[in-house]
Amino acid sequence: MGSTQFGKFHDFCRDSTLPVCNLFIRDNQPPNEKYGGCALTGINLSSGRHVGNLGSILLCFIAIFTTLFLIWRSERKRAAVGRREIQLFLIGFTIISICEIFSVGAFPLSDSIRKGFSAAHVAAICATAWLLLLNAIVGYQLIDDGTAVSLGLLVTSALILFVGTGYIALDTAFAWTGRFQSSHRTPNQNIGLYILYLLFPLICIVGFFLLETFLVIKVLKEKRPM
């Protein structure tokens, strides 16, 4: 993995295939090549086109079908706490997987379409990580789960994050305002996306595990789920 210099994506994009890397340069195909890394060519097609990251594409399809199965199964657990809330998280994860097929999957798409999917992918990661954290809070029953208030808070806050992050990603990709155009140059520094795409989801995931650990061990006084 690349350097951890705050806000700088160049080394990450040189060494890995992240959706955010499609936003900083024109036509990031084959992945890594324009960042000075080892080009991921995958399967060669005509006219210099490629289909790459087949492993990621396959895993995304598996993830989509698995998530849809979990949503179907959760419909049968009517007494489960936070059933509707966890379904919202699963829907968010499905959106992430669909976007990843086209943002990281290295299909021969137009640059604008790939950037659109990449922006949606980045925004979905931020919003879905937030939904994961809120699902941990739902377990404490501060608000009755499954109610309009509970679901409304989750959906509204997640949409705010999705739209806000998506706008920053799209503005970065297409330079609508020019505010993030400097990130198109090495070392591809973008503080907003660095926080929303990398740091914020990490905080949400850590927070989820800490809250769930406390809930299981201290509140429910169980150890087997751990």
Side-chain angles (χ1 to χ4, degrees):
M1 186 57 71
S3 169
T4 56
Q5 293 176 299
F6 189 78
K8 298 176 181 178
F9 284 96
H10 181 269
D11 289 352
F12 284 104
C13 296
R14 181 194 62 201
D15 301 332
S16 58
T17 54
L18 301 176
V20 71
C21 300
N22 297 325
L23 306 176
F24 302 127
I25 61 175
R26 181 178 178 82
D27 195 22
N28 183 31
Q29 295 298 309
N32 300 357
E33 184 178 50
K34 293 183 179 180
Y35 287 99
C38 180
L40 180 64
T41 56
I43 299 175
N44 293 324
L45 302 177
S46 61
S47 304
R49 297 176 302 165
H50 305 85
V51 175
N53 260 345
L54 295 180
S56 293
I57 295 172
L58 176 61
L59 288 176
C60 285
F61 276 110
I62 294 173
I64 290 169
F65 287 115
T66 301
T67 306
L68 293 176
F69 173 75
L70 291 174
I71 293 174
W72 173 74
R73 286 286 296 173
S74 66
E75 276 296 312
R76 306 179 65 180
K77 304 289 184 180
R78 299 190 179 277
V81 174
R83 179 170 60 99
R84 293 301 182 194
E85 287 80 0
I86 199 64
Q87 286 177 342
L88 290 175
F89 165 75
L90 292 173
I91 291 171
F93 187 77
T94 302
I95 294 173
I96 290 175
S97 299
I98 293 172
C99 291
E100 184 169 342
I101 292 173
F102 299 101
S103 64
V104 178
F107 281 104
L109 303 172
S110 73
D111 188 46
S112 296
I113 293 176
R114 181 176 290 105
K115 285 182 175 179
F117 274 110
S118 299
H121 190 178
V122 170
I125 288 173
C126 179
T128 304
W130 174 245
L131 286 174
L132 180 67
L133 178 62
L134 292 184
N135 267 275
I137 298 174
V138 167
Y140 289 85
Q141 293 285 277
L142 301 177
I143 300 176
D144 290 340
D145 64 285
T147 61
V149 174
S150 177
L151 296 176
L153 287 173
L154 264 71
V155 171
T156 301
S157 58
L159 281 177
I160 291 173
L161 283 171
F162 183 87
V163 172
T165 305
Y167 172 77
I168 294 174
L170 288 171
D171 195 4
T172 298
F174 298 107
W176 290 336
T177 66
R179 174 65 179 82
F180 305 102
Q181 198 162 5
S182 61
S183 62
H184 293 185
R185 299 185 295 272
T186 305
N188 307 110
Q189 186 173 30
N190 190 307
I191 302 296
L193 289 180
Y194 194 88
I195 293 173
L196 292 169
Y197 171 64
L198 293 179
L199 297 185
F200 180 73
L202 178 61
I203 292 171
C204 289
I205 292 170
V206 172
F208 170 81
F209 279 105
L210 291 177
L211 288 171
E212 288 294 283
T213 299
F214 181 82
L215 178 65
V216 171
I217 295 178
K218 293 295 185 180
V219 179
L220 301 179
K221 301 187 184 302
E222 293 283 350
K223 293 184 179 179
R224 283 186 297 176
M226 303 305 297

